[in-house]
Amino acid sequence: MAWRARTQRGSGWHNSGVRSAWRNQHRPQAATAAFELTAMPMLTGTLITAIGFLPIGIAKSVVGEYTFAIFAVTAAALMVSWLVSVFFVPALGYWLLKSPTPSGAAGHQRGPGEAHGGGPDTAFAQRFRALVTRCVERPVTTLALTVIVFILGLVGMGQVEQQFFPDSSRPEILVDVTLAEGSSRRATLAEGSSRRATDQAVEALEAAVLETPGVGTVASWVGAGAPRFFLPLDIIFPDPNVAQLVIQPAKGADRETILAALQAKLPDIAPEARLRIKRLPNGPPVPYPVAFRLVADRPEAAMAAAEQVQAQMRAHPDLRIVHLNWQGERPVARVQVDLARARELGVPPAVIARTLEARFAGVTVGEFREADKRIPLLLRLPQAERGEGLAGLRGLLLPALSGDQVPLDKVARVEMVWEPGLVWRRDREYAVTVQAAIGTDRQAASVSAELMAQLAPMARGFPAGTRLQLGGEVEESSKGQSSIFAGMPIMFFLTLTLLVMQLKSTPKSFMVLATAPLGVAGVAGALLLLDRPFGFVAMLGVIALMGMIMRNSVILIDQIDKERAKGLGLQAAIVEATMGRFRPIALTAAAAILAMIPLQGSVFWGPMAVAIMGGLIVATALTLLSLPALVALVGRWGRVLD
């Protein structure tokens, strides 16, 4: 049978649960025995791996909404894989494998170099048995080395670049266009169109984009951003001075080549606009990757602190497009009504408000119905009369109660003032965000950490009540991780429950849990070696890796219990179980590593694949060496493992 293993009391391979005597049994019995020995430990390990993704599925955040499908698909795939492995594979073996020949009877004499199980007693098997024996005989030294490796892994993780979500691999390229606040409104008086300046900038950009080699089509939205055709797309709020271009490369064209060409050419085409040329994002929408928020109870205090932070960020070599989200100031006509004078002339304040509304915004006087749509009808002055400036506004005639008409400047003072074009508040306080894009290959978390270290001394000198807060990708990542960590207690409780049910021992269950983080050194080493960031997707790989490690640990401890039930001593049972489980554990790890190779080149899944590959290599070795040492050490305490 294919499940036939080798066994030797002194050296070589021992059985992996299917004894050499089964070679003489019928195929149905062999297939049934393979199921009975491995089905339940594998089910427990599979459920543990699926439960590892549970915090993602129950996370109450935008990240949880975005990644719920990963939990659902992974859990379903794992359960189907277990059904296939314990039902279909034994049946397939029954159909394809032949029964042993009579020469394979129990009386068959072993040839030279043949172990008790009928397999070759290789030099590698002898060396590995000797290594496991030394680890079991010196458990304290083995576990101390394991702890050192684990600590080195934690140190290495501190050196890995942090990432929220990688950019999408979709071919579209976005160009965000933002003109200076009020530029389109100044065009109102000169050209009669509130969006004419933005239209002119977009037309020039479109012509330059279409001349770029490799560009297929370009679609533009003026006065707002593109509709959310892609879930992680950040929405641009309507404003006359904003626009967005969506560029589709031609078939076969390289997106990165086009992106580099546009970044070099477009800023000179529309120098009056702030341009951000980018790929489509992945993950929850984040306007800019690096952002610092200044919160105060007065707008002057928040703006003054934001200007200091802005100057510091502009000096950083990795940042570009550093700006404030308040978008600068714009001219505004302020009307201050003299209530006493208005009452004297018979002009109620409500009449002043309605007249001004009718002049500029318009007053709803009816509705136009078309099928199931209702379109409001607005009454307001013509465009030419609305743009007469302050002089025309001061001469605006107001109807009085006496029937006369009173100029506005008789009851109010009209003056022009400068106000922020857009005011943001957070928790009822003024909040100014200094935000920027990254112009190099560095990650937002690393750049934000450097800036926070530089800004912390400055923040201590801000006026009382002014606070510096970290935003951007770091803030969104923290929200996502917090929502996931909130589900960790449930995950650990269910995992421990499954382990206790399978192993029927609390100490053994905690030993299995102790092996879960053993792959951190391999994760750190692989990410550093291949220069990959550790982001949210890589964290999913680490969660899956922990489930794989615990599954192997469950199977190994279950095999130790089976060996002890046959009358072997603790040390002998540990060595024989490790030898017997080496091949299936190693082959399973190798299969998983090989399966990750096609994914390691992916922008989105690459960090996860690298994390699993590196973690499995180190964790498999530590599981086969450190776990036997841990069982041997705990077993010295008497009946703890019984």
Side-chain angles (χ1 to χ4, degrees), residues 470-533:
L470 187 59
E473 287 188 1
V474 176
E475 183 182 37
E476 289 298 324
S477 177
S478 177
K479 290 179 182 178
Q481 292 179 4
S482 299
S483 65
I484 291 176
F485 292 155
M488 286 294 186
I490 299 176
M491 181 199 75
F492 282 119
F493 173 77
L494 294 177
T495 300
L496 187 59
T497 301
L498 287 173
L499 291 174
V500 172
M501 291 174 61
Q502 173 63 37
L503 302 174
K504 299 178 176 60
S505 170
T506 301
K508 296 176 184 177
S509 302
F510 280 107
M511 283 191 288
V512 172
L513 285 176
T515 63
L518 291 182
V520 65
V523 173
L527 292 176
L528 289 172
L529 182 63
L530 298 178
D531 193 23
R532 297 299 183 89

Side-chain angles (χ1 to χ4, degrees), residues 145-201:
L145 293 175
T146 303
V147 172
I148 292 174
V149 172
F150 176 71
I151 294 175
L152 291 176
L154 294 180
V155 174
M157 288 300 297
Q159 306 300 317
V160 178
E161 288 268 9
Q162 302 296 307
Q163 183 187 60
F164 186 33
F165 275 90
D167 290 328
S168 173
S169 58
R170 287 179 58 125
E172 293 91 348
I173 298 174
L174 302 181
V175 180
D176 297 343
V177 183
T178 307
L179 273 69
E181 184 65 34
S183 59
S184 294
R185 293 176 177 83
R186 289 192 291 271
T188 300
L189 303 180
E191 303 177 29
S193 173
S194 62
R195 294 181 179 172
R196 183 57 184 166
T198 309
D199 285 335
Q200 289 178 341

Side-chain angles (χ1 to χ4, degrees), residues 518-581:
L518 291 182
V520 65
V523 173
L527 292 176
L528 289 172
L529 182 63
L530 298 178
D531 193 23
R532 297 299 183 89
F534 182 80
F536 196 84
V537 180
M539 186 178 70
L540 299 182
V542 172
I543 292 175
L545 177 64
M546 293 171 62
M548 297 176 190
I549 296 170
M550 287 190 286
R551 179 191 60 195
N552 291 336
S553 300
V554 169
I555 295 175
L556 182 55
I557 290 182
D558 181 75
Q559 186 63 33
I560 293 174
D561 290 340
K562 287 182 171 63
E563 297 295 339
R564 295 188 67 192
K566 296 169 185 174
L568 294 179
L570 178 61
Q571 180 171 325
I574 294 173
V575 174
E576 296 300 331
T578 305
M579 296 298 298
R581 282 299 170 192

Side-chain angles (χ1 to χ4, degrees), residues 124-147 149 515 518 549 552-553 556 560 574-575 577-579 581-582 585 617-633:
F124 176 80
Q126 295 177 1
R127 288 194 294 268
F128 182 72
R129 175 181 287 274
L131 179 59
V132 173
T133 303
R134 283 196 296 270
C135 292
V136 172
E137 292 174 348
R138 301 176 180 84
V140 176
T141 303
T142 302
L143 295 177
L145 293 175
T146 303
V147 172
V149 172
T515 63
L518 291 182
I549 296 170
N552 291 336
S553 300
L556 182 55
I560 293 174
I574 294 173
V575 174
T578 305
M579 296 298 298
R581 282 299 170 192
F582 171 81
I585 290 177
I617 292 173
V618 174
T620 301
L622 292 180
T623 301
L624 292 170
L625 299 176
S626 302
L627 183 58
L630 180 60
V631 175
L633 181 62

